[in-house]
Amino acid sequence: MSENHILHPIAYIHTDFKQKFGIPRQSGLVSELQAYIVFEPEFRRVEAVRGLEGFSHLWLIWEFSKTRVSEFRPTVRPPRLGGNTRVGVFASRAPYRPNGLGLSCVKLTGIDLDAPEAPVLTVSGADLLDGTPIYDIKPYIPVADCHPEASEGYTAETRTHRLQVVFPQELLDKVPTEKRSALKGVLACDPRPGYEDAPETVYGLSFAGMDVGFRVENGILTVTRVENE
């Protein structure tokens, strides 16, 4: 008989995404995205990250805290397959999982040992909602974690899916300079549900305190508004 284990967050991540819509479907797709990991007081010890500076990438184990399920769903419909094709939940990275755990590889860009909540980790390429609980952090080890020969399964069909982004200059000027590249990258990844293709629809994306409206037609995403939330 197995025991029930209760996991407790060791940290929380702070990102530019206050809503799930628009978050890249995998980590590393938008390298310009910057996030900060702040440890809980119990784990806020400088010695706990000793040696971490020697690694360029990290594994984050976290919780889909806004997507909890009450019963087991053996199959899911990946958005990139059009939202109609079902695959096994364990053949996907869908959030609707028995334990709701996510796994992301991010780049470590800084360790702040002088911040009031030190140590604070700065990472790039994260695909997490703001305030997501982190349950563990492990260094990425190339010799063990990198497998260039690995087969891609059904994801090979969609990995090159990118949109051309048209961002009118008068709207781009409303975006802070340091956020422009990340926002363009998020839009190029096509935030829409995979089963939607309605050129007349104006979608709204919440990013870094801004409401960004856009339309998509024939593989071209055109930004229509940028307003402060």
Side-chain angles (χ1 to χ4, degrees):
M1 180 182 296
S2 63
E3 298 180 0
N4 290 323
H5 295 278
I6 299 177
L7 297 179
H8 298 283
I10 63 165
Y12 289 84
I13 193 168
H14 299 281
T15 74
D16 286 318
F17 296 102
K18 301 295 184 182
Q19 300 176 7
K20 292 184 290 184
F21 182 77
I23 297 178
R25 290 174 173 85
Q26 303 292 340
S27 59
L29 293 181
V30 183
S31 60
E32 296 88 351
L33 288 172
Q34 184 166 273
Y36 304 92
I37 297 174
V38 179
F39 289 93
E40 287 290 87
E42 179 183 357
F43 307 101
R44 204 172 289 168
R45 304 279 292 274
V46 171
E47 57 265 37
V49 298
R50 183 183 301 152
L52 199 62
E53 70 280 357
F55 295 91
S56 64
H57 291 73
L58 308 174
W59 286 113
L60 305 180
I61 299 174
W62 48 277
E63 180 189 6
F64 289 101
S65 53
K66 301 300 182 181
T67 310
R68 294 193 171 104
V69 295
S70 57
E71 60 183 20
F72 176 55
R73 302 181 185 182
T75 63
V76 295
R77 296 182 293 181
R80 278 288 178 256
L81 291 182
N84 295 315
T85 303
R86 285 191 173 274
V87 302
V89 65
F90 301 127
S92 80
R93 296 193 179 185
Y96 303 100
R97 322 188 66 79
N99 288 310
L101 294 179
L103 177 69
S104 296
C105 181
V106 297
K107 184 175 182 180
L108 176 64
T109 59
I111 303 176
D112 190 342
L113 301 178
D114 298 316
E117 298 175 312
V120 175
L121 308 183
T122 302
V123 299
S124 64
D127 56 338
L128 283 75
L129 186 71
D130 183 58
T132 293
I134 306 294
Y135 288 113
D136 206 356
I137 298 172
K138 300 177 185 290
Y140 177 94
I141 303 174
V143 69
D145 297 341
C146 183
H147 298 278
E149 77 285 1
S151 57
E152 299 177 83
Y154 60 84
T155 63
E157 303 173 24
T158 60
R159 66 185 169 96
T160 59
H161 181 77
R162 302 279 292 185
L163 297 177
Q164 176 185 340
V165 177
V166 175
F167 212 132
Q169 189 61 48
E170 65 271 17
L171 296 180
L172 185 61
D173 288 341
K174 296 182 178 181
V175 180
T177 303
E178 70 277 9
K179 299 292 184 182
R180 293 177 184 177
S181 293
L183 176 55
K184 288 180 179 178
V186 169
L187 294 172
C189 285
D190 194 353
R192 301 173 301 163
Y195 51 83
E196 289 193 15
D197 188 17
E200 70 281 1
T201 299
V202 176
Y203 298 89
L205 169 69
S206 175
F207 180 80
M210 297 173 287
D211 171 37
V212 182
F214 64 90
R215 285 193 178 97
V216 180
E217 185 172 9
N218 297 325
I220 300 175
L221 182 150
T222 302
V223 178
T224 59
R225 73 170 184 272
V226 175
E227 299 173 353
N228 291 326
E229 292 182 318

